[in-house]
Amino acid sequence: MSYKDLYTSDSPKISTGGKESNIYVLGIPFDFTSSYRPGSRFGPDSVRQAYWNIEIVDRELNVNAENIPIFDLGNISPIMSVDGMIDIVKKVAGEAFAQGKVLGSIGGEHLITLPIASQLKDATIVVFDAHFDLRDELYGLKVNHATFFRRLLELKQIKAVHVGAHAYLDEELQFARNLGVTVISQESLKNDRRFLLDALPDNPLYISVDMDVLDPSCAPGVGNPEPSGLTYNELFNALRSLKGKKIVGFDVNEVTPPYDPSGITSIAAAKLFSILVILSWVGING
Ligand SMILES: [Mn+2]
């Protein structure tokens, strides 16, 4: 033990364990295809800073995330192209999954989910988002944060459940139905917190949360806010109902600090991240 070990830290990394931990954390500071309000590249470190400073014990699940070993890999290196980000994240996520790690990622825009989820086999992806992200293209770009879910489904290698969409085109809903996506409205969650659990198939879950699924009064700092979304407890309770399910990975995305002057969106994302860490831990350890 040296003074360096005693008095310096890796902050803002949020490791509570070493490389042997079952849960890895990855920051993906990427927002190149943002269509409205850019800045989610600042999300990973902002969410980490909040994670350090809020209480991450969940009284409903009765688990303290501080006691769960997680290993923070840091952020992917700055990259100046969509293809480059997709290539790098595929490799890092693929390696983590091959090692049997649960990978918890912090975006970045929602496009980060495409390279991660493309590395999954025999899993169901559960997406929380005010939007479907099922457009075929946006502003001439085929691969961007409004098309990521369509590009993922076109791979035809993963079952999908979508929760909370209320800002979408008719053709997006039709496309979701045609491809067999289970679509769960936010009204269903408001009325019954177990609705989601009952709708899920049996295989392991990958959970992706676009922070814009929350109402902008709860989460104003996102790239594409859509009024009339979920409250904190509607979202958190739906997730808490998944306690005991096996989770192979998760991500929290679209936190956009330049539009989040009070920091409340990063704080909500950190709380959400802690719930997902707890659920992953319970899924591994029972
Ligand atoms: Mn969205």
Side-chain angles (χ1 to χ4, degrees):
M1 176 74 75
S2 70
Y3 286 132
K4 183 171 127 316
D5 297 327
L6 265 178
Y7 296 129
T8 66
S9 84
D10 275 342
S11 173
K13 284 188 180 178
I14 53 173
S15 295
T16 48
K19 285 188 176 170
E20 72 287 353
S21 305
N22 290 316
I23 301 171
Y24 276 15
V25 177
L26 176 66
I28 309 174
F30 183 89
D31 64 5
F32 281 23
T33 79
S34 176
S35 56
Y36 182 21
R37 311 199 304 180
S40 63
R41 70 179 66 184
F42 301 111
D45 287 351
S46 183
V47 175
R48 285 185 177 103
Q49 191 178 42
Y51 195 89
W52 271 117
N53 286 291
I54 63 170
E55 296 291 353
I56 50 174
V57 59
D58 192 83
R59 295 301 0 162
E60 286 230 9
L61 294 168
N62 215 18
V63 181
N64 187 349
E66 278 181 37
N67 299 328
I68 297 175
I70 61 177
F71 182 68
D72 190 341
L73 298 167
N75 294 335
I76 66 158
S77 306
I79 186 82
M80 301 303 282
S81 76
V82 171
D83 289 348
M85 182 279 287
I86 286 180
D87 181 51
I88 286 177
V89 174
K90 269 185 186 172
K91 286 171 176 159
V92 174
E95 191 173 85
F97 292 141
Q99 293 170 350
K101 305 297 184 185
V102 174
L103 184 64
S105 302
I106 312 171
E109 59 177 53
H110 212 161
L111 182 57
I112 65 152
T113 307
L114 175 60
I116 300 169
S118 74
Q119 301 304 297
L120 295 169
K121 293 174 189 77
D122 188 33
T124 296
I125 185 169
V126 183
V127 179
F128 292 80
D129 193 341
H131 312 93
F132 275 124
D133 294 349
L134 284 171
R135 287 171 183 262
D136 190 30
E137 62 155 49
L138 190 67
Y139 305 139
L141 267 184
K142 281 280 208 183
V143 179
N144 68 61
H145 80 141
T147 69
F148 102 84
F149 198 33
R150 186 163 178 143
R151 298 287 95 84
L152 178 66
L153 295 177
E154 284 170 349
L155 300 174
K156 293 192 185 329
Q157 62 185 40
I158 191 165
K159 285 187 188 155
V161 176
H162 195 285
V163 186
H166 61 95
Y168 55 83
L169 308 176
D170 290 343
E171 64 208 49
E172 290 183 287
L173 178 60
Q174 197 55 50
F175 187 86
R177 292 203 169 126
N178 290 348
L179 281 199
V181 177
T182 301
V183 176
I184 297 178
S185 71
Q186 51 178 353
E187 286 71 29
S188 311
L189 295 193
K190 287 178 197 286
N191 298 331
D192 176 5
R193 70 154 75 178
R194 286 180 57 88
F195 192 92
L196 171 61
L197 178 65
D198 293 341
L200 290 178
D202 238 5
N203 43 357
L205 304 179
Y206 181 90
I207 298 172
S208 174
V209 184
D210 183 329
M211 290 299 288
D212 70 29
V213 77
L214 288 168
D215 191 80
S217 62
C218 305
V222 295
N224 296 69
E226 301 288 354
S228 192
L230 293 174
T231 65
Y232 295 141
N233 280 339
E234 287 161 354
L235 174 61
F236 296 164
N237 287 338
L239 288 169
R240 287 173 180 131
S241 78
L242 307 182
K243 186 177 183 181
K245 299 282 285 184
K246 183 169 168 49
I247 293 171
V248 292
F250 55 89
D251 66 68
V252 174
N253 59 72
E254 293 281 350
V255 172
T256 306
Y259 291 91
D260 194 31
S262 74
I264 191 65
T265 311
S266 289
I267 291 164
K271 173 67 181 173
L272 177 65
F273 200 84
S274 71
I275 290 174
L276 291 165
V277 165
I278 290 169
L279 292 172
S280 300
W281 174 252
V282 173
I284 295 166
N285 296 285

